[in-house]
Amino acid sequence: MNDATGGGGGANLAPAALVSVLRECFHGAGEAGAFLDPGQGGLLALLASLSAAEASAPVAGASVARHALHVAFSLDVFAEWIGGLRDVEYDWAQSWARGEVDQGQWLALRERLALGLAALEAAVARHAARDAQAAWGAAGALAHTAYHLGMIQLKVDELRAAQARATSAKQ
């Protein structure tokens, strides 16, 4: 089973729960969610609703693309760290360096996020049950990604409101 109540019992329950909520963050809540409303889409659907130009537009500071690029970077880092690679210095500032994408880059970034999620899920499933630091890192990855999902949702809401105001002003 894919949900937190699924098989495996004891030692595998915590990693399964973490993976389940990570999936919710990216793919949305089904009939019930840990933190999203039932039926609400996740990060990937939210990003798919935007064009590259919309994603690149600065909204209340950083663009959606800038946040998405940062999340993609963080997924790689978290997966490596959870997997045991903990002596690497990562350039987190560089993950914020770019904020604009063209259509091809936007599609590639969304694919990179999906692949990054798969790698993170595999790392959590493989290491979190037997390594307390890995479980801690998985919880951190979830919190970090949920934060950015919220920030991106706010930016998309503001972008849509600005578009509605512009349309209304033209009428």
Side-chain angles (χ1 to χ4, degrees):
M1 293 182 125
N2 290 334
D3 66 17
T5 62
N12 292 328
L13 186 57
L18 288 166
V19 167
S20 177
V21 181
L22 276 166
R23 286 183 184 147
E24 178 180 336
C25 193
F26 281 87
H27 296 293
E31 293 179 17
F35 71 100
L36 295 177
D37 291 334
Q40 183 178 354
L43 181 62
L44 296 175
L46 184 59
L47 297 178
S49 75
L50 299 172
S51 69
E54 290 171 322
S56 297
V59 179
S63 68
V64 168
R66 191 176 305 268
H67 276 267
L69 286 158
H70 172 75
V71 170
F73 172 85
S74 74
L75 292 175
D76 295 340
V77 171
F78 279 118
E80 289 178 359
W81 197 90
I82 290 165
L85 186 61
R86 299 183 181 145
D87 60 349
V88 176
E89 292 286 328
Y90 295 99
D91 188 353
W92 287 89
Q94 181 62 29
S95 72
W96 290 101
R98 203 169 104 227
E100 295 181 5
V101 290
D102 63 26
Q103 194 60 32
Q105 292 166 331
W106 186 231
L107 293 171
L109 174 56
R110 292 179 7 232
E111 178 65 22
R112 179 180 170 200
L113 286 162
L115 292 172
L117 171 62
L120 180 59
E121 288 176 359
V124 171
R126 197 171 318 121
H127 300 285
R130 65 176 188 275
D131 179 350
Q133 284 189 310
W136 178 77
L142 174 58
H144 182 261
T145 305
Y147 166 81
H148 285 287
L149 170 59
M151 289 300 297
I152 290 169
Q153 182 66 65
L154 289 171
K155 290 176 180 297
V156 171
D157 291 348
E158 179 55 35
L159 181 65
R160 298 291 185 238
Q163 291 169 340
R165 288 189 299 271
T167 299
S168 180
K170 289 180 184 178
Q171 296 175 352

